[in-house]
Amino acid sequence: MTDTPRPTSSAKLWGGRFSEATAASVEKFTASIHYDARLYRHDIAGSMAHARMLARQGLISDEECAAIIGGLEEIGREIAGNTFVFRPELEDIHMNIEKALTEKIGPAGEKLHTGRSRNDQVALDLRLYLRDEGKAVDTLLAAAQKGFVRLARRYLGTVMPGYTHLQRAQPVLLSHHLLAYFEMLDRDRGRMADCLERLCVMPLGAAALAGTGLPIDREFVARELGFSTITANSMDTVGDRDFALEFLFCCTVIQLHLSRLAEELVLWSSKEFEFVRIGDRYCTGSSIMPQKKNPDIPELIRGKAGRVTGSLMSLLMTVKGLPLTYNRDLQEDKEPIFDALDTVQASLSIMAELLDNLTFNTEKMQAATLGGFMTATDLADYLVRKNMPFRQAHGVVGRIVALCQQRGVELVDLKLDELRTFSKLIEADIYQVLSIAGSVNSRVSAGGTAEVRVAEALDRAEQQLGIS
Ligand code: ARG
């Protein structure tokens, strides 16, 4: 009797207990190497720290450690130089690298996985990866913030209608509107920083789920990799993906903020508004209508909000209902993360370019403040200052607006005598109050749109971003 050949399974790092080769369909279905190869740098960094720890603890010799480090460096160069051959039958990045290492350096390579499991290994790789990418996102957010601040500086003094319900509400400074986005992105940066702080906890050493009996030193690995703490519970460590969910949530909010801006740019660049002109280099044409110039970039940024939100939803659903600890479902965490990151980074960087290619139509914006009774609240506040209860003032001004509407005129068009038929408290100084500049500059409350407040906010923003 001859031995049944075991061609593929024996090549597997976990092949020992199997007597049949894995079905090709299974290899195809379970493989993640086509996307998790992205983690190779972090996988190698984690393995190097792990190997150093093993040597320090006497679990491998210094020579073995040196061979491992040298082999991993070489593999890193091969992957970077596109000469590394990835093997789908080795499932993922972890086993592709480990197998290649053993083929390169022999038995020392087989010692690398001592006291470690792919379950804690992948938790480490992902955290290392997100730590780097989170910082990259922060840099892009700061660049976009600078774009807003530059525009706010350039257009300081320009008035425009501020909207609620997309109805003209009260006049504001364009710079105030732009700095609202500075604030949103500032919170996005803070949110990401918080996420990274919770995420930067070293998971290696949880092993498969229960820890290990081998004398490892987790604190050492943490220090090697620049983490200040280690995870507390081995079962939580390999089962947890909160950090990835939180990261995806941060990405989603960023994309939603960009999407809101995108929506405004689409509206504002339309003939109906004509508030802004997007530079030709950042627009596209129509294949049938020769006159068209379309705001495709903001539209796509807005469209991609669905995609990033979908990634968050996808991982939320993957995690829901998983029993402790690691389950293969968790392999589904990577694609949404990669896709969300690609999308958010591309959107942030093109949006920053777009901001530098906007020209606001200040006359059009100014003109739009003149219709729509936008200083009605100022008139009510004027009466309040003369001691009329606000609710009464609201009623009085409402009746004045109704009269204006009936006649098709604006508040400033009414004669003083006419205004006084509604309230004797109204005097000649009302016209200054009803002017757009008067209205804007009266809003001096902290965080308000008065030019003094906006100029202060702008100074603070510039200082924070290191713009002089
Ligand atoms: N590729 C796997 C993942 O991304 C690595 C961990 C596999 N662990 C296991 N026990 N099969 O989740």
Side-chain angles (χ1 to χ4, degrees):
M1 236 176 79
T2 53
D3 273 353
T4 328
R6 300 191 303 175
T8 322
S9 68
S10 58
K12 295 263 191 285
L13 294 174
W14 41 254
R17 61 103 68 211
F18 289 81
S19 54
E20 282 183 314
T22 317
S25 56
V26 171
E27 286 185 338
K28 186 157 183 261
F29 189 71
T30 56
S32 55
I33 187 62
H34 52 289
Y35 53 84
D36 68 15
R38 247 201 225 217
L39 297 173
Y40 83 91
R41 268 187 233 96
H42 304 94
D43 193 73
I44 288 174
S47 287
M48 286 181 175
H50 181 65
R52 285 194 198 98
M53 182 277 288
L54 293 177
R56 202 163 173 266
Q57 298 300 104
L59 288 162
I60 60 174
S61 71
D62 288 342
E63 294 69 41
E64 286 167 332
C65 178
I68 289 173
I69 305 277
L72 288 172
E73 278 169 353
E74 205 178 309
I75 290 169
R77 281 194 296 274
E78 285 171 15
I79 298 178
N82 281 326
T83 58
F84 188 88
V85 182
F86 288 107
R87 287 176 281 181
E89 69 276 14
L90 292 173
E91 286 182 32
D92 55 25
I93 186 63
H94 323 297
M95 294 203 292
N96 267 272
I97 290 179
E98 192 189 322
K99 183 83 173 170
L101 178 69
T102 302
E103 285 168 2
K104 258 185 213 312
I105 67 168
E110 295 187 308
K111 292 196 173 178
L112 174 61
H113 214 49
T114 305
R116 177 176 86 166
S117 150
R118 273 188 297 154
N119 299 348
D120 56 346
Q121 187 179 357
V122 71
L124 173 65
D125 291 6
L126 209 49
R127 284 174 195 259
L128 288 170
Y129 174 80
L130 292 179
R131 183 173 70 177
D132 281 352
E133 295 299 323
K135 286 179 194 154
V137 168
D138 182 71
T139 305
L140 290 169
L141 283 166
Q145 279 185 307
K146 284 184 184 156
F148 284 111
V149 166
R150 273 195 296 271
L151 283 174
R153 175 60 72 195
R154 182 169 350 136
Y155 288 100
L156 189 58
T158 296
V159 290
M160 65 175 288
Y163 295 85
T164 62
H165 313 266
L166 198 54
Q167 308 291 319
R168 290 179 189 170
Q170 290 174 345
V172 294
L173 290 185
L174 168 58
S175 301
H176 198 45
H177 193 121
L178 293 166
L179 289 177
Y181 283 98
F182 168 86
E183 295 295 333
M184 292 182 231
L185 299 193
D186 218 44
R187 287 194 300 279
D188 291 338
R189 293 179 70 186
R191 211 174 345 260
M192 184 59 92
D194 289 347
C195 167
L196 292 187
E197 196 182 316
R198 247 184 309 284
L199 178 152
C200 286
V201 178
M202 211 290 295
L204 211 63
L209 76 161
T212 172
L214 295 168
I216 60 169
D217 182 351
R218 300 188 60 205
E219 300 282 358
F220 174 82
V221 178
R223 281 196 301 279
E224 283 285 294
L225 294 169
F227 288 113
S228 49
T229 44
I230 59 173
T231 56
N233 178 303
S234 62
M235 295 180 77
D236 176 45
T237 301
V238 294
D240 160 42
R241 287 296 180 274
D242 302 7
F243 67 92
L245 288 172
E246 221 178 315
F247 193 95
L248 279 172
F249 177 73
C250 291
C251 289
T252 304
V253 180
I254 293 169
Q255 194 70 28
L256 295 189
H257 284 157
L258 294 181
S259 178
R260 296 182 73 171
L261 172 67
E263 168 69 7
E264 297 198 311
L265 292 177
V266 170
L267 284 172
W268 291 2
S269 61
S270 70
K271 189 75 192 158
E272 282 65 18
F273 275 83
E274 278 186 323
F275 280 3
V276 75
R277 207 181 68 77
I278 302 176
D280 277 3
R281 292 200 319 131
Y282 289 86
C283 286
T284 52
S286 158
S287 54
I288 175 167
M289 297 168 281
Q291 85 286 8
K292 289 296 291 292
K293 176 175 156 183
N294 297 327
D296 292 37
I297 294 175
E299 289 172 281
L300 278 168
I301 289 174
R302 186 178 60 187
K304 286 173 193 294
R307 182 172 176 149
V308 181
T309 309
S311 293
L312 170 62
M313 291 306 137
S314 163
L315 188 56
L316 282 167
M317 288 306 102
T318 296
V319 171
K320 175 194 174 297
L322 287 187
L324 293 187
T325 55
Y326 178 84
N327 299 271
R328 191 63 179 267
D329 314 45
L330 290 176
Q331 180 167 291
E332 290 292 309
D333 60 357
K334 283 165 214 66
E335 284 173 296
I337 287 175
F338 296 155
D339 192 74
L341 264 170
D342 288 347
T343 307
V344 164
Q345 292 183 351
S347 302
L348 272 172
S349 83
I350 194 106
M351 185 60 101
E353 283 183 51
L354 194 67
L355 291 178
D356 287 337
N357 284 276
L358 296 180
T359 313
F360 287 98
N361 186 339
T362 56
E363 286 95 62
K364 227 17 223 254
M365 288 183 141
Q366 160 95 35
T369 60
L370 299 176
F373 320 108
M374 281 202 299
T375 52
T377 317
D378 300 85
L379 178 49
D381 286 348
Y382 173 90
L383 295 171
V384 165
R385 270 190 220 103
K386 298 200 169 186
N387 222 14
M388 186 185 282
F390 178 75
R391 275 290 150 236
Q392 269 180 40
H394 190 286
V396 167
V397 178
R399 286 191 289 279
I400 298 176
V401 166
L403 174 71
C404 287
Q405 258 169 337
Q406 213 180 332
R407 291 203 199 150
V409 298
E410 287 294 317
L411 293 170
V412 281
D413 299 326
L414 296 181
K415 299 262 174 315
L416 185 57
D417 292 349
E418 282 177 304
L419 286 168
R420 284 173 63 83
T421 63
F422 291 91
S423 168
K424 290 281 174 264
L425 294 174
I426 300 176
E427 289 170 84
D429 58 353
I430 191 61
Y431 292 101
Q432 168 57 22
V433 169
L434 293 180
S435 76
I436 296 301
S439 165
V440 167
N441 287 324
S442 73
R443 298 214 147 69
V444 290
S445 55
T449 195
E451 190 163 333
V452 277
R453 291 292 93 85
V454 175
E456 286 164 7
L458 189 49
D459 286 344
R460 274 197 305 275
E462 286 174 341
Q463 214 177 344
Q464 186 193 317
L465 294 168
I467 303 172
S468 47

